[in-house]
Amino acid sequence: MGFLSRLMGGADSGASQVDAAAQARQQARQAERISHEIDAAYYRWLTGSARYEAAAEVQATILDQVRGLTARPEEAAGLVPRVPEVIPQLLNSLAEEDVSASELSRLVVQDVVLTAEVIREANSAYYRPMTQVKTVEAAIMMLGQNGLRMLLARVAFRPIIKMQADGFSRRAAPHVWGQSERCALAASLVAPGLTAGVFEAYLAGLMQNVGLIVAFRLADGVCPNGTIPGGDDFAHELLACGRQLSAGIARHWEFPQEVTEAIAHAGDPGELHLAQALSLGDRIAKLRLLIDAAVVAEDDDLVTDGLDSFQRRCLGKLSHLEA
């Protein structure tokens, strides 16, 4: 009887393991499907009336150029503006535990735009100060070191994504920047639950679209009159290639290795926690933009099946993000 029980129990255990493996594969396929559908919807919204049915050779030319540039990160980095010099100084200072608010204030006031951004951020609805913050030092105290680091990163990246260009890339840049900001915030919100660094997730979110903007600039040299190839397959490939290009530029700029790896693997995060945070942040940000544009409903399957309850709360927080 004991032998039969053990035999039956072993069979049940084996069947359970098979069922669990099958369920895991099904969940993985569903997650991949949802991700592809969100990317396709986002690309269609982003490209809008500029999208056209390009010949296969046109699509191949664009993708080959983007892939080729990935192997030449120094050339790719030359296509985007450099980060203002004061930003690296401040980020380095923030890495020092004993840095004072007055020292940070001294660095901030060297840049007029940065000064205005710091004070505006401290007075935003996110921090909700009891009284208006009027000085840089008071603003720095309000933001805290992590808040200041995120603000610095955002200020540094804005001219990179919103760089002046012609053709479709110029039209797309503000929308891509909006997605970058939302991705950065969403990634930083989900990062703690994945034991990933909050600032690293934020930085990865801002950086991941730099390559896409470069890819759009390359497409402008191939496509006529500010147009861009449509098609879900092309969209998926271009977004993936743009991400790899972003990772290459990040390496050239000597970003932390974990950030560059997260960007490179965000399309298939595996066990990399920071890549998982970036992938989720990207999904949440795209859904936020699609919902705000009335392309996707709040109760759409892409939302209800694609996000868990905490991620849907993050989605709600992005609705209050200022442009």
Side-chain angles (χ1 to χ4, degrees):
M1 186 67 174
F3 170 76
L4 288 175
S5 297
R6 287 195 299 274
L7 181 61
M8 294 300 292
D12 289 344
S13 176
S16 297
Q17 290 177 1
V18 171
D19 290 344
Q23 185 178 10
R25 287 194 296 271
Q26 183 179 358
Q27 289 175 343
R29 285 194 296 269
Q30 182 183 19
E32 184 177 3
R33 176 188 62 79
I34 289 172
S35 179
H36 281 211
E37 288 186 13
I38 291 172
D39 279 352
Y42 170 72
Y43 185 81
R44 288 193 295 269
W45 168 78
L46 180 63
T47 53
S49 60
R51 189 173 65 255
Y52 79 110
E53 293 187 17
E57 55 266 29
V58 171
Q59 299 181 40
T61 297
I62 295 170
L63 294 174
D64 287 346
Q65 287 185 7
V66 178
R67 294 187 185 107
L69 205 56
T70 301
R72 305 188 304 277
E74 69 288 344
E75 186 178 333
L79 295 176
V80 293
R82 287 191 169 275
V83 173
E85 188 175 339
V86 70
I87 303 295
Q89 295 177 19
L90 276 160
L91 289 174
N92 288 334
S93 296
L94 284 165
E96 302 172 9
E97 294 184 2
D98 58 347
V99 65
S100 66
S102 59
E103 173 62 17
L104 292 174
S105 176
R106 184 186 66 78
L107 289 170
V108 168
V109 295
Q110 294 178 24
D111 189 294
V112 176
V113 173
L114 186 56
T115 299
E117 287 283 352
V118 167
I119 293 177
R120 185 186 71 83
E121 182 79 358
N123 286 299
S124 69
Y126 185 85
Y127 289 96
R128 297 180 180 178
M130 297 294 292
T131 57
Q132 185 178 15
V133 176
K134 297 181 179 179
T135 68
V136 172
E137 191 164 348
I140 290 172
M141 294 291 288
M142 174 70 70
L143 268 59
Q145 289 202 10
N146 216 37
L148 182 57
R149 290 170 85 195
M150 291 182 180
L151 173 63
L152 291 173
R154 193 167 71 247
V155 170
F157 273 90
R158 186 178 297 139
I160 294 174
I161 299 290
K162 285 189 170 183
M163 59 187 173
Q164 293 297 314
D166 295 319
F168 173 73
S169 58
R170 183 168 190 170
R171 288 173 51 192
H175 299 302
V176 174
W177 172 246
Q179 200 276 337
S180 299
E181 279 194 297
R182 286 160 179 78
C183 175
L185 180 55
S188 71
L189 291 172
V190 302
L194 295 166
T195 63
V198 172
F199 178 67
E200 289 75 13
Y202 193 88
L203 192 59
L206 290 179
M207 181 70 205
Q208 74 150 352
N209 280 327
V210 172
L212 180 61
I213 286 294
V214 173
F216 284 151
R217 289 191 66 183
L218 294 176
D220 283 334
V222 177
C223 301
N225 304 320
T227 56
I228 189 80
D232 293 352
D233 291 340
F234 176 80
H236 179 69
E237 285 297 320
L238 188 68
L239 291 173
C241 289
R243 201 159 41 233
Q244 294 307 313
L245 186 54
S246 295
I249 296 172
R251 291 189 198 96
H252 180 70
W253 283 347
E254 298 182 345
F255 272 54
Q257 184 178 352
E258 61 182 325
V259 173
T260 62
E261 288 184 353
I263 296 170
H265 293 92
D268 186 15
E271 299 299 319
L272 295 175
H273 292 184
L274 189 58
Q276 292 172 7
L278 178 58
S279 180
L280 281 172
D282 183 62
R283 177 184 297 186
I284 294 168
K286 285 172 179 171
L287 285 172
R288 182 72 266 164
L289 288 173
L290 292 172
I291 291 169
D292 291 346
V295 174
V296 170
E298 292 273 5
D299 60 351
D300 190 280
D301 289 347
L302 294 178
V303 178
T304 57
D305 294 343
L307 305 177
D308 63 25
S309 58
F310 175 74
Q311 293 156 14
R312 287 195 291 273
R313 288 198 295 274
C314 294
L315 178 71
K317 288 184 179 181
L318 296 191
S319 63
H320 304 299
L321 189 65
E322 296 181 10

